[in-house]
Amino acid sequence: MGELDADVLLAGVAAEVAPIGLEDVPELMSRVDRKYIVTAATMTALAAELGGRFAVLRIGTRRQFRYTSTYFDTPDLLTFHQHRQDRRRRFKLRTRTYLDGGGRWLELKLNGTRGSTDKHRIPYDDAPSRTLTREALDFVRDTLLAELRLIAPETLGPVLSTDYRRVTFIDPSGAARLTCDTGLLCHDGQSSAPARRDLVLLESKSADGKALVDKVLRGMGVRPVTVSKYCLAVAALRQLPANRWHPVLQRYLVHRPEPGAQRLVSRGSTGCWGQAAARGGRWAGPRGAHSGRRSSGNGAGVQA
């Protein structure tokens, strides 16, 4: 018997769950996030255990949505290295486009000195996903200074993108939600690294870290993992050291470029998309996670 396709399985699971519209989704502004990687078979068992206690997000006729995120970093990958070194004050910057739900946001995720994670974002529909406008750079500078007392880097440019599909299950009480990502593809214009099709990346988000999902998964012997889509993608595509993420890389991603195929990236360039940094964040086109973090988000829509 072949491996179950997690994307197909999730579409089937979502079709059987009572829907909830975006306008009815309770806000979850302050939350504890835990991530898991499970097989499609485990996802089936989890869905059965949850029964009818969760609703599925529906926008229009869709219950499964395509996302694409473009991540920005400095020429020497400051945010990647700060995350790899587990710096207490750090940030991550991306644009996230909801291909089916509509809309694009510029999102700045901050890790503070107390291990908390806060997400700040502004609407970004009028700007290309691989461009940092003057307004965006002002937003980054002001937020970093006000929230973390950090001076923003002078050069930030697009490094890579991740594409995936997401199903979001909502606890109607507002206490928790569960996002389920499948079909992850990491790419930077020169190479790509897909995730295994039989695996689901889950993120449990709850007000107190004691969500039903976490309890059920613990009872099934599934433990949280430390994972960041951006850091996994950088490590895989650039062949950079990633000891803390190595088990996830080995299990989750299908392919890492062979060492002989590694492209050389100097400290003065972020690769094929790195020319943006020299142009004030404008992209010129290609030339050839701790588990249990508490986070809060602001802005309209689903913080997922």
Side-chain angles (χ1 to χ4, degrees), residues 89-91 108 110-113 118 120 137-152 298:
R89 293 191 301 162
R90 61 179 187 267
F91 70 95
L108 183 62
L110 309 178
N111 281 75
T113 56
D118 298 299
H120 301 259
L137 293 171
D138 288 342
F139 162 73
V140 172
R141 281 193 291 265
D142 293 345
T143 306
L144 287 179
L145 187 60
E147 299 295 329
L148 294 184
R149 298 180 182 239
L150 290 177
I151 302 298
N298 63 347

Side-chain angles (χ1 to χ4, degrees), residues 114-279:
R114 296 182 180 180
S116 62
T117 300
D118 298 299
K119 183 163 71 174
H120 301 259
R121 67 180 192 169
I122 57 174
Y124 217 59
D125 295 308
D126 297 329
S129 62
R130 298 187 182 105
T131 296
L132 290 178
T133 64
R134 184 179 298 276
E135 178 188 7
L137 293 171
D138 288 342
F139 162 73
V140 172
R141 281 193 291 265
D142 293 345
T143 306
L144 287 179
L145 187 60
E147 299 295 329
L148 294 184
R149 298 180 182 239
L150 290 177
I151 302 298
E154 294 184 2
T155 54
L156 287 167
V159 174
L160 56 83
S161 289
T162 59
D163 303 333
Y164 53 96
R165 293 180 181 84
R166 170 168 289 184
V167 171
T168 301
F169 295 101
I170 308 291
D171 180 346
S173 71
R177 69 175 55 120
L178 175 69
T179 59
C180 311
D181 297 343
T182 55
L184 175 68
L185 177 66
C186 311
H187 55 96
D188 63 2
Q190 292 189 18
S191 57
S192 62
R196 283 173 44 184
R197 295 195 61 82
D198 63 321
L199 296 180
V200 185
L201 175 59
L202 303 179
E203 187 163 356
S204 170
K205 310 164 192 284
S206 62
D208 57 6
K210 300 177 181 179
L212 173 63
V213 169
D214 299 306
K215 295 177 183 177
V216 172
L217 287 170
R218 185 165 57 249
M220 298 169 66
V222 180
R223 297 294 182 264
V225 296
T226 298
V227 62
S228 156
K229 290 188 183 76
Y230 173 62
C231 292
L232 287 181
V234 170
L237 299 175
R238 298 286 179 87
Q239 286 283 278
L240 293 179
N243 291 343
R244 59 185 303 212
W245 303 303
H246 185 72
V248 177
L249 274 171
Q250 291 296 103
R251 180 187 178 203
Y252 187 44
L253 296 185
V254 172
H255 170 70
R256 297 187 70 189
E258 293 298 326
Q262 177 184 359
R263 63 183 185 281
L264 298 178
V265 180
S266 70
R267 292 182 61 83
S269 169
T270 50
C272 67
W273 289 7
Q275 307 307 312
R279 294 175 172 80

